[in-house]
Amino acid sequence: MQTQEQIAAPSALERRIDVIVALADVEREVEQRLKRMSKTVKMAGFRPGKVPFKMVAQTYGEQTRSEAIGAALDHAFGEKVREQKLRVAGYPRIEPKPTANDSQLEFSAVFEVYPEVVLGDVSAREIEKQTLVVGDVEVDKTIEALRKQRVTYAAAARPAQKEDRVVIDFLGRLDGTEFPGGKADDFALVLGAGRMLPDFEKGVEGISAGEKRTIDVNFPEDYNNKELAGKTAQFEITCKSVEATQLPPIDAEFARQLGIADGDVAKMRSEVRANLEREVNKRLQQKIKTSVMEILLDVTPVDVPKSLVESESRQMAEQMVRDMEARGMSAKGMPPLDPALFIEPAIRRVKLGLIFAELVKARELHARPEQVKTVVEDFAATFEDPKEVVRWYYSQPQRLAEAEALAVENNVVEWVLATAKTREVPAIFDELMGNAA
């Protein structure tokens, strides 16, 4: 895999083309542009189209000449690229060259080309396909998770145990001295949730309302506060209340909370099963897709143009900011995200994009309209009004392009699965859904 340092080094894909622009051609283009401009340009004291040509040239001549040189450069560069049948990646860097010829301008265009992608052989590789049939056990576990999301608490006249919520005051000292962040009042802690250090939670277990105790808490060596890392602090704990979890019963009210208007529990279970089957299938497909991509990257080494990686890393940084804002976090006042932080995943994306493009062309894996429609309909099925979502997709070219890209990705995955060896293994539900202890 290419590192950030390798990306910064001179690229094997870099090319240089010398371009000559005749000054006579530039001057003719400048004159034509200024003449066209003089027909509509507005200046104080003159009617539109009546501004003297000399004044137009004085005001806009430098800008127009720069535009004309740029257009001439683009034209000359394009012709050279077509002559040499080069596929340019990104934009060229233009460097002026000294010349003794007063009738022309000379430049060097430095740019990168797309690499030649030689597809590797996947036929000898084995892909593990996880399988899982959603049954009553999985539905019950999912409903239990939904109940826990709606948990309430009630006062318990007993010592605190795991999953209880305790409300405590605490004061921490290190070598007898209070330290910043080591004090809180009316702090609500759910035991076993992992919100506090293990020693702290273990020291609170078994406490009763009204009880006070002092506990030792060992801070790990890699603790983010270096003043506390690797040290042992003493905490004075005062318990104000112990509350036990109260899970809602599986009844009509619970079903209505899950969107079943008539409160039918059997219908609720059916809906949960259908949603769970969709989610399980989605996660299984994602695991297979990840395995396919790893194999393609492994069997098809490919150089990546620096310009494409830099562009991709900038887009990833911008997307991260948009995601933060979508979650309600304001990016105002924050320093801009450095695109260099995304170099490694950007390299991976660019490599996969190049490999996918070559594979789609070589194996004719383009998305068919019915495949794009299936992708859109599958996504829309999770919404209350699927038909409206489908209409929205087809009215937004950018959204439809995303669906098409996903359909192409699916075609690539299916082709690799049909070409490589596969082995089915049962998936573990809790691991697949992220519920493992």
Side-chain angles (χ1 to χ4, degrees), residues 283-302:
R283 297 192 183 206
L284 290 175
Q285 290 301 315
Q286 187 56 49
K287 281 183 170 290
I288 292 172
K289 190 175 293 185
T290 299
S291 298
V292 165
M293 290 179 179
E294 291 301 329
I295 287 175
L296 288 174
L297 286 169
D298 192 39
V299 303
T300 309
V302 58

Side-chain angles (χ1 to χ4, degrees), residues 7 49 54-55 73 81 98 129 168 183 185 188 268 287 292 324 330 353 381 419 424:
I7 288 295
K54 186 176 181 180
M55 292 184 65
L73 263 172
V81 167
K129 290 181 65 176
I168 57 175
K183 180 180 179 180
D185 292 331
M268 177 201 71
K287 281 183 170 290
V292 165
M324 289 170 59
S330 175
T419 307
E424 290 192 355

